Amino acid sequence: MPESIERTNDFVVKFANVNGSGSASANRLFARSILRMGVPVSPRNIFPSNIQGLPTWYEVRVSEAGHLGARGGADLMVAMNPQTWNEDIASIEPGGYLFYDSTKAMPTSKFRSDVTVIGMPLTEICNAEYTEPRERQLFKNIIYVGALAALLDIELAAVEGLLGDQFKGKEKLIAANVHALHLGNAYAMKHLDCPIGLRIRRADAVGDRIFLEGNNAAALGAVYGGATVCAWYPITPSSSLAEAFQRHCGRYRLDPETKKSRHAIVQAEDELASIGMVIGAAWNGARAFTATSGPGISLMQEFIGLAYFAEIPAVVFDVQRGGPSTGMPTRTQQSDILSCAYASHGDTKHILLLPEDPRECFTMGADAFDLADRLQTPVFVMLDLDIGMNERLCAPLDWDDARRLDRGKVMTAADLDAGKDFGRYLDVDGDGIPYRTYPGTHPKRGAFFTRGTTKDSRARYSEEGPDYVENMQRLLKKFETAKELVPHPVVRDAKQPTRFGAIFYGSTSPAMHEAVAALEAQGLHLDTLRIRAFPFHDDILDFVAAHDHVFVVEQNRDAQLRTLLMTEGDIAPAKLIKVLNYDGTPITARFILREIEKRMADANVVPLRKAVP
């Protein structure tokens, strides 16, 4: 039997529960208590696409070093679901720990000899303490949090403080939960070997960072970006974004005097209707958006094409999930890159923003509205389930109060009266972006209507080939202009010169940073580039040209970003090496490390070691 794992502030705890058992709040309480002790955590909720009864997992990575990506494996498994017992036991690292409800005896064949088993009769304790079935179920979760506090050396005061915050003003609930917490803690201290080899030690590694979900941050970004209209249809994993926008509007979109709403939130009958409402509101001058996922993008195609060709600003928050079709609603992927980049039929190209954490969800969520107005086109903010529905540490959000909304090229009534030449689709400045007017700006001049069919530069209906070609070429010029307006890529040079590079984006970022650090420790060096937007800035193509081989790390089967790079940059396929994870779980540093090590070995790359003095 291997020695038991002994680590401080560096391990993974995984909870295996039944969906609907009330475990979610207790598991979140556990994660946040560690955070209160100054130790960074990165929790992930892995849940089924049903309401109640199926297995659910909650994984908490503890890392004082600040690694926020999924690691893979579990050092401590809290096994509360008999249905998934075998799978859960198999995922424990050799030398790890198993904590389970020992009320009912289990055969020795159900355990592993290389794992330390910690049994506690949770059901028996609850039955003796509580009479109501629901109380027994709910307080069982708090009792095991109390036991884990003893096993891992977590300060009870940190947990109690969180309970006080959670049930503020409800003293009876605070007292009942604190009682259950101490019940579990006292039993563990008396009957179990506490603490185990995994321990939490108070630190100061969190700093001023905040703990926030990407969907919540993006919704707040929409408020700060000036959005007043949201039309949406419920779909996992994006529904919480629209719901968060509604909460934020309840604070920030009310008239200070009358307290009346200064926003419109509409749950439409389907996704097609929702994007239609967004386009209508945006055409009339409102800043409007929808929140959806891959299946919704599929249903919106024709209206997205209308917004592109009629040049109407709109923002779409796409919280990606596994596909195709209805796919895996509660699993994460980066699977909508191509479908959004070229959404609709015919020749279209759309702006994509690719945030890596909640902070960028906020900033890009706000910036998307300025970009949509400046470029008069739909803008897609590409989150995914991992970043959207999980809390993550990030730098504090900030905002420049002097910042004003950028509405782009809008002619006023005064401009029109002054005799300025107005052609709705006329390229006056050579950047491909025409001038527009809000409907009703002037009684006789400007644009009141638009069309999705072919037209000339003054919006007159035309099926003449030269008019169509001129318009389509101007749209391409506008897309080129967008390259300098969207966020530029982030480049990191390796410590040693290298022929290899790596490109990644979005929620892959934390695992990628950890993997690169591990490679460097082995003497294998990689320059890296994180893409933050499409169209691709010239720096991205320069990065590819500067390396013999470039790994493209993404979370889908068909290497969609790689395809986009080859198509838009005319890059030889052999130069871009696929590193793909698409099983629905977040990509891990271990996976990236293993894949790149293998490919570097195939290329006969010799690690660069420091010379011994």
Side-chain angles (χ1 to χ4, degrees), residues 471-505:
N471 200 36
M472 295 299 285
Q473 287 298 114
R474 181 184 56 77
L475 289 169
L476 271 184
K477 187 187 296 183
K478 181 168 73 170
F479 199 69
E480 285 294 312
T481 299
K483 287 183 178 180
E484 294 301 324
L485 299 179
V486 300
H488 291 191
V490 178
V491 179
R492 175 192 172 276
D493 293 328
K495 295 178 181 178
Q496 301 284 346
T498 176
R499 298 180 291 114
F500 286 84
I503 288 176
F504 60 100
Y505 63 102

mmCIF file of all heavy atoms in Angstrom, residues 471-505:
data_model
loop_
_atom_site.group_PDB
_atom_site.id
_atom_site.type_symbol
_atom_site.label_atom_id
_atom_site.label_comp_id
_atom_site.label_asym_id
_atom_site.label_seq_id
_atom_site.Cartn_x
_atom_site.Cartn_y
_atom_site.Cartn_z
ATOM 1 N N ASN A 471 -21.562 45.989 -51.842
ATOM 2 C CA ASN A 471 -22.005 45.920 -50.451
ATOM 3 C C ASN A 471 -21.256 44.836 -49.688
ATOM 4 O O ASN A 471 -20.826 45.038 -48.543
ATOM 5 C CB ASN A 471 -23.513 45.662 -50.416
ATOM 6 C CG ASN A 471 -24.135 46.053 -49.092
ATOM 7 O OD1 ASN A 471 -23.730 47.029 -48.475
ATOM 8 N ND2 ASN A 471 -25.109 45.283 -48.644
ATOM 9 N N MET A 472 -21.103 43.657 -50.311
ATOM 10 C CA MET A 472 -20.417 42.554 -49.635
ATOM 11 C C MET A 472 -18.938 42.859 -49.416
ATOM 12 O O MET A 472 -18.365 42.483 -48.385
ATOM 13 C CB MET A 472 -20.583 41.266 -50.445
ATOM 14 C CG MET A 472 -22.030 40.768 -50.530
ATOM 15 S SD MET A 472 -22.723 40.388 -48.896
ATOM 16 C CE MET A 472 -21.890 38.840 -48.541
ATOM 17 N N GLN A 473 -18.311 43.544 -50.351
ATOM 18 C CA GLN A 473 -16.909 43.929 -50.179
ATOM 19 C C GLN A 473 -16.766 44.957 -49.062
ATOM 20 O O GLN A 473 -15.802 44.935 -48.294
ATOM 21 C CB GLN A 473 -16.343 44.481 -51.491
ATOM 22 C CG GLN A 473 -16.098 43.428 -52.551
ATOM 23 C CD GLN A 473 -15.073 42.396 -52.089
ATOM 24 O OE1 GLN A 473 -15.392 41.218 -51.906
ATOM 25 N NE2 GLN A 473 -13.844 42.827 -51.856
ATOM 26 N N ARG A 474 -17.743 45.862 -48.970
ATOM 27 C CA ARG A 474 -17.696 46.848 -47.884
ATOM 28 C C ARG A 474 -17.826 46.156 -46.520
ATOM 29 O O ARG A 474 -17.148 46.534 -45.555
ATOM 30 C CB ARG A 474 -18.813 47.882 -48.057
ATOM 31 C CG ARG A 474 -18.809 48.954 -46.961
ATOM 32 C CD ARG A 474 -19.983 49.897 -47.096
ATOM 33 N NE ARG A 474 -21.255 49.206 -47.097
ATOM 34 C CZ ARG A 474 -21.832 48.722 -45.984
ATOM 35 N NH1 ARG A 474 -21.233 48.842 -44.808
ATOM 36 N NH2 ARG A 474 -22.992 48.101 -46.064
ATOM 37 N N LEU A 475 -18.672 45.146 -46.419
ATOM 38 C CA LEU A 475 -18.808 44.394 -45.173
ATOM 39 C C LEU A 475 -17.496 43.715 -44.798
ATOM 40 O O LEU A 475 -17.145 43.627 -43.610
ATOM 41 C CB LEU A 475 -19.937 43.366 -45.300
ATOM 42 C CG LEU A 475 -21.353 43.943 -45.326
ATOM 43 C CD1 LEU A 475 -22.367 42.877 -45.725
ATOM 44 C CD2 LEU A 475 -21.722 44.543 -43.975
ATOM 45 N N LEU A 476 -16.764 43.233 -45.802
ATOM 46 C CA LEU A 476 -15.439 42.655 -45.528
ATOM 47 C C LEU A 476 -14.478 43.719 -45.015
ATOM 48 O O LEU A 476 -13.676 43.466 -44.107
ATOM 49 C CB LEU A 476 -14.865 42.020 -46.798
ATOM 50 C CG LEU A 476 -15.187 40.557 -47.077
ATOM 51 C CD1 LEU A 476 -14.442 40.084 -48.330
ATOM 52 C CD2 LEU A 476 -14.828 39.675 -45.888
ATOM 53 N N LYS A 477 -14.550 44.920 -45.610
ATOM 54 C CA LYS A 477 -13.685 46.015 -45.144
ATOM 55 C C LYS A 477 -14.006 46.367 -43.696
ATOM 56 O O LYS A 477 -13.114 46.624 -42.887
ATOM 57 C CB LYS A 477 -13.870 47.236 -46.047
ATOM 58 C CG LYS A 477 -12.889 48.368 -45.754
ATOM 59 C CD LYS A 477 -13.235 49.615 -46.561
ATOM 60 C CE LYS A 477 -13.105 49.380 -48.045
ATOM 61 N NZ LYS A 477 -13.374 50.638 -48.823
ATOM 62 N N LYS A 478 -15.287 46.366 -43.361
ATOM 63 C CA LYS A 478 -15.691 46.639 -41.976
ATOM 64 C C LYS A 478 -15.131 45.578 -41.034
ATOM 65 O O LYS A 478 -14.704 45.886 -39.905
ATOM 66 C CB LYS A 478 -17.217 46.690 -41.877
ATOM 67 C CG LYS A 478 -17.732 46.998 -40.484
ATOM 68 C CD LYS A 478 -19.210 47.323 -40.472
ATOM 69 C CE LYS A 478 -20.079 46.135 -40.696
ATOM 70 N NZ LYS A 478 -21.515 46.440 -40.440
ATOM 71 N N PHE A 479 -15.112 44.341 -41.486
ATOM 72 C CA PHE A 479 -14.569 43.256 -40.673
ATOM 73 C C PHE A 479 -13.079 43.452 -40.457
ATOM 74 O O PHE A 479 -12.546 43.160 -39.377
ATOM 75 C CB PHE A 479 -14.843 41.921 -41.369
ATOM 76 C CG PHE A 479 -14.737 40.723 -40.455
ATOM 77 C CD1 PHE A 479 -15.676 40.501 -39.455
ATOM 78 C CD2 PHE A 479 -13.705 39.811 -40.597
ATOM 79 C CE1 PHE A 479 -15.592 39.399 -38.622
ATOM 80 C CE2 PHE A 479 -13.608 38.711 -39.776
ATOM 81 C CZ PHE A 479 -14.553 38.498 -38.783
ATOM 82 N N GLU A 480 -12.381 43.956 -41.461
ATOM 83 C CA GLU A 480 -10.952 44.274 -41.310
ATOM 84 C C GLU A 480 -10.761 45.395 -40.297
ATOM 85 O O GLU A 480 -9.835 45.363 -39.477
ATOM 86 C CB GLU A 480 -10.348 44.676 -42.662
ATOM 87 C CG GLU A 480 -10.107 43.533 -43.606
ATOM 88 C CD GLU A 480 -9.049 42.573 -43.090
ATOM 89 O OE1 GLU A 480 -7.976 43.046 -42.676
ATOM 90 O OE2 GLU A 480 -9.304 41.355 -43.084
ATOM 91 N N THR A 481 -11.635 46.390 -40.332
ATOM 92 C CA THR A 481 -11.579 47.485 -39.358
ATOM 93 C C THR A 481 -11.728 46.948 -37.939
ATOM 94 O O THR A 481 -11.094 47.431 -36.997
ATOM 95 C CB THR A 481 -12.677 48.514 -39.649
ATOM 96 O OG1 THR A 481 -12.478 49.066 -40.954
ATOM 97 C CG2 THR A 481 -12.688 49.632 -38.619
ATOM 98 N N ALA A 482 -12.566 45.935 -37.796
ATOM 99 C CA ALA A 482 -12.827 45.362 -36.471
ATOM 100 C C ALA A 482 -11.578 44.764 -35.834
ATOM 101 O O ALA A 482 -11.496 44.674 -34.605
ATOM 102 C CB ALA A 482 -13.919 44.297 -36.575
ATOM 103 N N LYS A 483 -10.607 44.358 -36.627
ATOM 104 C CA LYS A 483 -9.396 43.739 -36.081
ATOM 105 C C LYS A 483 -8.706 44.628 -35.055
ATOM 106 O O LYS A 483 -8.115 44.140 -34.089
ATOM 107 C CB LYS A 483 -8.410 43.400 -37.212
ATOM 108 C CG LYS A 483 -8.809 42.227 -38.076
ATOM 109 C CD LYS A 483 -7.730 41.934 -39.112
ATOM 110 C CE LYS A 483 -8.097 40.727 -39.968
ATOM 111 N NZ LYS A 483 -7.057 40.443 -40.981
ATOM 112 N N GLU A 484 -8.736 45.925 -35.288
ATOM 113 C CA GLU A 484 -8.068 46.857 -34.368
ATOM 114 C C GLU A 484 -8.971 47.285 -33.224
ATOM 115 O O GLU A 484 -8.506 47.877 -32.255
ATOM 116 C CB GLU A 484 -7.567 48.082 -35.125
ATOM 117 C CG GLU A 484 -6.463 47.775 -36.124
ATOM 118 C CD GLU A 484 -5.245 47.143 -35.447
ATOM 119 O OE1 GLU A 484 -4.928 47.521 -34.298
ATOM 120 O OE2 GLU A 484 -4.610 46.269 -36.069
ATOM 121 N N LEU A 485 -10.263 47.009 -33.321
ATOM 122 C CA LEU A 485 -11.197 47.415 -32.276
ATOM 123 C C LEU A 485 -11.413 46.339 -31.226
ATOM 124 O O LEU A 485 -11.700 46.651 -30.070
ATOM 125 C CB LEU A 485 -12.545 47.795 -32.904
ATOM 126 C CG LEU A 485 -12.528 48.958 -33.897
ATOM 127 C CD1 LEU A 485 -13.927 49.198 -34.446
ATOM 128 C CD2 LEU A 485 -11.986 50.222 -33.253
ATOM 129 N N VAL A 486 -11.293 45.075 -31.613
ATOM 130 C CA VAL A 486 -11.530 43.979 -30.667
ATOM 131 C C VAL A 486 -10.301 43.800 -29.773
ATOM 132 O O VAL A 486 -9.204 44.274 -30.090
ATOM 133 C CB VAL A 486 -11.844 42.667 -31.416
ATOM 134 C CG1 VAL A 486 -13.091 42.831 -32.271
ATOM 135 C CG2 VAL A 486 -10.660 42.207 -32.257
ATOM 136 N N PRO A 487 -10.439 43.115 -28.636
ATOM 137 C CA PRO A 487 -9.290 42.898 -27.744
ATOM 138 C C PRO A 487 -8.163 42.130 -28.439
ATOM 139 O O PRO A 487 -8.416 41.141 -29.133
ATOM 140 C CB PRO A 487 -9.894 42.063 -26.601
ATOM 141 C CG PRO A 487 -11.354 42.352 -26.632
ATOM 142 C CD PRO A 487 -11.699 42.581 -28.062
ATOM 143 N N HIS A 488 -6.953 42.593 -28.250
ATOM 144 C CA HIS A 488 -5.791 41.963 -28.871
ATOM 145 C C HIS A 488 -5.386 40.708 -28.092
ATOM 146 O O HIS A 488 -5.724 40.560 -26.916
ATOM 147 C CB HIS A 488 -4.635 42.948 -28.927
ATOM 148 C CG HIS A 488 -4.853 44.074 -29.892
ATOM 149 N ND1 HIS A 488 -3.858 44.944 -30.270
ATOM 150 C CD2 HIS A 488 -5.960 44.470 -30.572
ATOM 151 C CE1 HIS A 488 -4.333 45.827 -31.119
ATOM 152 N NE2 HIS A 488 -5.612 45.572 -31.317
ATOM 153 N N PRO A 489 -4.652 39.806 -28.723
ATOM 154 C CA PRO A 489 -4.231 38.581 -28.034
ATOM 155 C C PRO A 489 -3.203 38.868 -26.944
ATOM 156 O O PRO A 489 -2.556 39.932 -26.942
ATOM 157 C CB PRO A 489 -3.611 37.741 -29.157
ATOM 158 C CG PRO A 489 -3.144 38.744 -30.164
ATOM 159 C CD PRO A 489 -4.177 39.846 -30.122
ATOM 160 N N VAL A 490 -3.063 37.921 -26.040
ATOM 161 C CA VAL A 490 -2.080 38.021 -24.958
ATOM 162 C C VAL A 490 -0.965 37.020 -25.245
ATOM 163 O O VAL A 490 -1.206 35.811 -25.319
ATOM 164 C CB VAL A 490 -2.722 37.718 -23.591
ATOM 165 C CG1 VAL A 490 -1.670 37.782 -22.487
ATOM 166 C CG2 VAL A 490 -3.850 38.704 -23.310
ATOM 167 N N VAL A 491 0.249 37.532 -25.415
ATOM 168 C CA VAL A 491 1.400 36.691 -25.758
ATOM 169 C C VAL A 491 2.321 36.554 -24.560
ATOM 170 O O VAL A 491 2.584 37.532 -23.847
ATOM 171 C CB VAL A 491 2.186 37.282 -26.959
ATOM 172 C CG1 VAL A 491 3.391 36.412 -27.296
ATOM 173 C CG2 VAL A 491 1.280 37.430 -28.169
ATOM 174 N N ARG A 492 2.803 35.338 -24.329
ATOM 175 C CA ARG A 492 3.771 35.078 -23.270
ATOM 176 C C ARG A 492 4.957 34.330 -23.872
ATOM 177 O O ARG A 492 4.796 33.257 -24.436
ATOM 178 C CB ARG A 492 3.159 34.236 -22.150
ATOM 179 C CG ARG A 492 4.153 33.816 -21.070
ATOM 180 C CD ARG A 492 3.548 32.764 -20.159
ATOM 181 N NE ARG A 492 4.521 32.212 -19.235
ATOM 182 C CZ ARG A 492 5.364 31.222 -19.521
ATOM 183 N NH1 ARG A 492 5.391 30.690 -20.736
ATOM 184 N NH2 ARG A 492 6.214 30.781 -18.627
ATOM 185 N N ASP A 493 6.154 34.933 -23.764
ATOM 186 C CA ASP A 493 7.359 34.299 -24.282
ATOM 187 C C ASP A 493 7.930 33.323 -23.260
ATOM 188 O O ASP A 493 7.943 33.597 -22.055
ATOM 189 C CB ASP A 493 8.420 35.347 -24.617
ATOM 190 C CG ASP A 493 7.997 36.233 -25.776
ATOM 191 O OD1 ASP A 493 7.278 35.744 -26.661
ATOM 192 O OD2 ASP A 493 8.371 37.428 -25.781
ATOM 193 N N ALA A 494 8.411 32.190 -23.737
ATOM 194 C CA ALA A 494 9.037 31.199 -22.866
ATOM 195 C C ALA A 494 10.363 31.725 -22.332
ATOM 196 O O ALA A 494 10.933 32.690 -22.855
ATOM 197 C CB ALA A 494 9.247 29.900 -23.622
ATOM 198 N N LYS A 495 10.856 31.081 -21.291
ATOM 199 C CA LYS A 495 12.122 31.500 -20.683
ATOM 200 C C LYS A 495 13.317 31.166 -21.565
ATOM 201 O O LYS A 495 14.402 31.738 -21.385
ATOM 202 C CB LYS A 495 12.270 30.846 -19.309
ATOM 203 C CG LYS A 495 11.232 31.293 -18.294
ATOM 204 C CD LYS A 495 11.408 30.582 -16.967
ATOM 205 C CE LYS A 495 10.340 31.032 -15.961
ATOM 206 N NZ LYS A 495 10.454 30.311 -14.665
ATOM 207 N N GLN A 496 13.132 30.224 -22.466
ATOM 208 C CA GLN A 496 14.185 29.838 -23.398
ATOM 209 C C GLN A 496 13.649 29.926 -24.816
ATOM 210 O O GLN A 496 12.453 29.746 -25.051
ATOM 211 C CB GLN A 496 14.647 28.394 -23.124
ATOM 212 C CG GLN A 496 15.192 28.148 -21.723
ATOM 213 C CD GLN A 496 16.599 28.712 -21.549
ATOM 214 O OE1 GLN A 496 17.271 29.050 -22.529
ATOM 215 N NE2 GLN A 496 17.041 28.836 -20.314
ATOM 216 N N PRO A 497 14.520 30.195 -25.804
ATOM 217 C CA PRO A 497 14.063 30.197 -27.196
ATOM 218 C C PRO A 497 13.468 28.838 -27.559
ATOM 219 O O PRO A 497 13.961 27.795 -27.128
ATOM 220 C CB PRO A 497 15.347 30.469 -27.991
ATOM 221 C CG PRO A 497 16.275 31.133 -27.014
ATOM 222 C CD PRO A 497 15.962 30.533 -25.678
ATOM 223 N N THR A 498 12.412 28.843 -28.348
ATOM 224 C CA THR A 498 11.741 27.594 -28.683
ATOM 225 C C THR A 498 11.127 27.671 -30.070
ATOM 226 O O THR A 498 10.741 28.746 -30.532
ATOM 227 C CB THR A 498 10.641 27.276 -27.648
ATOM 228 O OG1 THR A 498 9.944 26.092 -28.045
ATOM 229 C CG2 THR A 498 9.643 28.408 -27.524
ATOM 230 N N ARG A 499 11.045 26.520 -30.703
ATOM 231 C CA ARG A 499 10.407 26.426 -32.019
ATOM 232 C C ARG A 499 8.911 26.137 -31.899
ATOM 233 O O ARG A 499 8.205 26.116 -32.895
ATOM 234 C CB ARG A 499 11.059 25.304 -32.837
ATOM 235 C CG ARG A 499 12.538 25.516 -33.129
ATOM 236 C CD ARG A 499 13.112 24.364 -33.934
ATOM 237 N NE ARG A 499 13.186 23.130 -33.148
ATOM 238 C CZ ARG A 499 12.483 22.034 -33.391
ATOM 239 N NH1 ARG A 499 11.609 22.019 -34.387
ATOM 240 N NH2 ARG A 499 12.633 20.966 -32.646
ATOM 241 N N PHE A 500 8.457 25.887 -30.655
ATOM 242 C CA PHE A 500 7.073 25.485 -30.432
ATOM 243 C C PHE A 500 6.268 26.608 -29.775
ATOM 244 O O PHE A 500 6.755 27.309 -28.886
ATOM 245 C CB PHE A 500 7.013 24.245 -29.537
ATOM 246 C CG PHE A 500 7.416 22.981 -30.241
ATOM 247 C CD1 PHE A 500 8.759 22.622 -30.355
ATOM 248 C CD2 PHE A 500 6.464 22.148 -30.811
ATOM 249 C CE1 PHE A 500 9.143 21.463 -31.004
ATOM 250 C CE2 PHE A 500 6.832 20.990 -31.456
ATOM 251 C CZ PHE A 500 8.172 20.637 -31.558
ATOM 252 N N GLY A 501 5.038 26.734 -30.217
ATOM 253 C CA GLY A 501 4.109 27.664 -29.600
ATOM 254 C C GLY A 501 2.809 26.952 -29.266
ATOM 255 O O GLY A 501 2.573 25.819 -29.680
ATOM 256 N N ALA A 502 1.975 27.625 -28.510
ATOM 257 C CA ALA A 502 0.656 27.079 -28.167
ATOM 258 C C ALA A 502 -0.363 28.207 -28.176
ATOM 259 O O ALA A 502 -0.100 29.299 -27.666
ATOM 260 C CB ALA A 502 0.683 26.393 -26.816
ATOM 261 N N ILE A 503 -1.514 27.921 -28.754
ATOM 262 C CA ILE A 503 -2.622 28.881 -28.805
ATOM 263 C C ILE A 503 -3.803 28.284 -28.041
ATOM 264 O O ILE A 503 -4.101 27.094 -28.162
ATOM 265 C CB ILE A 503 -3.023 29.173 -30.267
ATOM 266 C CG1 ILE A 503 -1.940 30.027 -30.941
ATOM 267 C CG2 ILE A 503 -4.369 29.875 -30.339
ATOM 268 C CD1 ILE A 503 -2.198 30.281 -32.418
ATOM 269 N N PHE A 504 -4.462 29.121 -27.246
ATOM 270 C CA PHE A 504 -5.614 28.660 -26.475
ATOM 271 C C PHE A 504 -6.543 29.848 -26.261
ATOM 272 O O PHE A 504 -6.239 30.978 -26.648
ATOM 273 C CB PHE A 504 -5.176 28.059 -25.133
ATOM 274 C CG PHE A 504 -4.441 29.023 -24.242
ATOM 275 C CD1 PHE A 504 -5.095 29.666 -23.200
ATOM 276 C CD2 PHE A 504 -3.087 29.296 -24.443
ATOM 277 C CE1 PHE A 504 -4.431 30.551 -22.380
ATOM 278 C CE2 PHE A 504 -2.412 30.193 -23.621
ATOM 279 C CZ PHE A 504 -3.081 30.823 -22.595
ATOM 280 N N TYR A 505 -7.682 29.594 -25.603
ATOM 281 C CA TYR A 505 -8.652 30.668 -25.405
ATOM 282 C C TYR A 505 -9.658 30.279 -24.333
ATOM 283 O O TYR A 505 -9.808 29.104 -23.986
ATOM 284 C CB TYR A 505 -9.381 30.993 -26.710
ATOM 285 C CG TYR A 505 -10.212 29.865 -27.270
ATOM 286 C CD1 TYR A 505 -11.598 29.837 -27.117
ATOM 287 C CD2 TYR A 505 -9.613 28.812 -27.960
ATOM 288 C CE1 TYR A 505 -12.358 28.811 -27.640
ATOM 289 C CE2 TYR A 505 -10.369 27.775 -28.487
ATOM 290 C CZ TYR A 505 -11.737 27.771 -28.320
ATOM 291 O OH TYR A 505 -12.493 26.746 -28.831
#
